[in-house]
Amino acid sequence: MIDCIVVGLGLAGIAFCEELEAEGKKIIVFEDDSQKSSTVAGGLYNPVILKRFTPVWNADEQLEVALPFYEALEEKLQTSIDEKLPVMRRFAAIEEQNMWFEASDKPKLSKYLDTQLVINTNEAVDAPFSLGKVKETGRIFTGKLLKAYREYLQAKNYLRNESFQYEKLTIEDEFVQYQNIQAKKIVFCEGFGIKKNPYFSYLPLNGTKGELLFIKAPTLKIDYVLKSSVFLIPQGNDVYTVGATYNWTDKTNTATEEAKRELVTKLSKLINCEYEIIAHVAGIRPTVIDRRPLVGIHPENPKLAVLNGLGTRGVMIAPTVPKQLYKHLEYQAELPNEINIKRFEDADA
Ligand SMILES: Cc1cc2nc3c(=O)[nH]c(=O)nc-3n(C[C@H](O)[C@H](O)[C@H](O)COP(=O)(O)OP(=O)(O)OC[C@H]3O[C@@H](n4cnc5c(N)ncnc54)[C@H](O)[C@@H]3O)c2cc1C
């Protein structure tokens, strides 16, 4: 008998495995590469919504937990995954500069918005109205993290590189059974893959497809994240990622010409140097209608739980919810209403 089966090893799965390991639990993890969101993510953490200059939900609390979480993973996996990088918001007009100053007076934003405007001196960047610097930002190399974490679990013989087949799960009074595994609990962290999960597909997770381009631009030479209608994120060796798109109808992980055109058009308004597109990736963000995570226990099967709905901000949210779910599962501690999946049962009642 093991303690827990975990299905899915994206950011949510990793964060929950970390919680289980910290509690000394025995686990088996299933991962089949069917979803790509964590693999392709830009990996940014940024406490401010830069379209409207408003704070991200629970930003202070999330950063407080997330940064030590990734630091501990760096130590454990012996690899560097967190890079502190400033995010620079390009202003499209004087009015936007004024909005920035107004926002920087607000209590929840003052520590994040630098009031010293940055004058752009890079000829490859088109930013005549200067840039605003966001503080306490950075990027997690999510692809590198996923690879290292898989290797870590593999070495402990905890990982099954295969699809979890829901029809083969049986639920008994004291445990769940899957193939030759008996476990006290099972926690589903499948991202958009939840749509195939007969126990939790009722939850209102819509999914939003996102695409990113990798470009090589030898004369661009920026060492910060540049944000306009798209993000431009330096990857080293003159490579940058450009993204992302938002598509609410296409639910495939296939890169499209339409998204490429959209990104190229937006990029043309931001930089004016030569570049070459070297890669193009896509994934589906597990977005929920109310933009809050989906955490909790199945209404009829208390051995089944879910950790999903990280949406567009998995990097900051993923580390913060597993402890709450763990305490809920082990000690019946209350979950905050805004993340508890019960909010959707109550809505139906
Ligand atoms: C283009 C793009 C850019 C993004 N940029 C950022 C960013 O800059 N910052 C940020 O914070 N967030 C970003 N995100 C969002 C972020 O990627 C997500 O919030 C987060 O990765 C979701 O993690 P997850 O573990 O819930 O889901 P996923 O990453 O989808 O992981 C679920 C895992 O479960 C596995 N799985 C599913 N079903 C099964 C099954 N039956 N059996 C076995 N395994 C299964 C899948 O293969 C997958 O690995 C971006 C997303 C996209 C698409």
Side-chain angles (χ1 to χ4, degrees), residues 29 107 178 208 211 217 228 258 272 317 320 337:
V29 183
Y178 184 79
T208 312
E211 300 190 37
S228 175
E258 190 191 343
N272 48 36
I317 301 176
T320 63
N337 280 339

Side-chain angles (χ1 to χ4, degrees), residues 8 11-12 31-32 34-35 37-38 42-44 164 166 311-315:
L11 291 174
E31 170 54 53
D32 69 356
S34 55
Q35 291 301 324
S37 191
S38 299
L44 294 179
F164 184 86
Y166 303 96
T312 57
R313 297 186 188 273
V315 168

Side-chain angles (χ1 to χ4, degrees), residues 5 16 185-190 197 200 294-298 301-307 325 328-329 341:
I5 299 172
F16 197 63
K185 308 267 186 224
I186 178 162
V187 176
F188 294 101
C189 311
E190 313 111 311
N197 181 329
F200 288 108
L294 294 172
V295 186
I297 296 176
H298 190 270
N301 297 297
K303 305 212 157 3
L304 275 52
V306 65
L307 201 173
L325 176 60
H328 185 55
L329 281 170
I341 54 170

Side-chain angles (χ1 to χ4, degrees), residues 197-312:
N197 181 329
Y199 301 101
F200 288 108
S201 58
Y202 73 91
L203 291 168
L205 186 143
N206 299 336
T208 312
K209 180 171 178 177
E211 300 190 37
L212 285 167
L213 298 178
F214 283 75
I215 62 165
K216 186 146 180 112
T219 55
L220 185 52
K221 303 288 177 216
I222 62 171
D223 56 3
Y224 53 84
V225 176
L226 182 55
K227 163 70 177 146
S228 175
S229 56
V230 281
F231 278 101
L232 190 65
I233 311 169
Q235 302 289 346
N237 296 326
D238 298 324
V239 173
Y240 300 83
T241 40
V242 184
T245 55
Y246 290 80
N247 184 320
W248 290 267
T249 48
D250 178 0
K251 306 297 184 193
T252 68
N253 284 316
T254 317
T256 63
E257 279 305 311
E258 190 191 343
K260 189 201 249 180
R261 269 197 305 276
E262 179 187 328
L263 291 171
V264 167
T265 305
K266 288 180 171 168
L267 188 60
S268 69
K269 296 182 179 136
L270 185 58
I271 61 170
N272 48 36
C273 59
E274 297 280 311
Y275 67 86
E276 179 196 352
I277 298 172
I278 54 174
H280 181 181
V281 293
I284 306 178
R285 306 171 183 90
T287 45
V288 182
I289 49 169
D290 65 0
R291 294 167 192 226
R292 295 290 175 265
L294 294 172
V295 186
I297 296 176
H298 190 270
E300 279 144 34
N301 297 297
K303 305 212 157 3
L304 275 52
V306 65
L307 201 173
N308 208 319
L310 303 185
T312 57

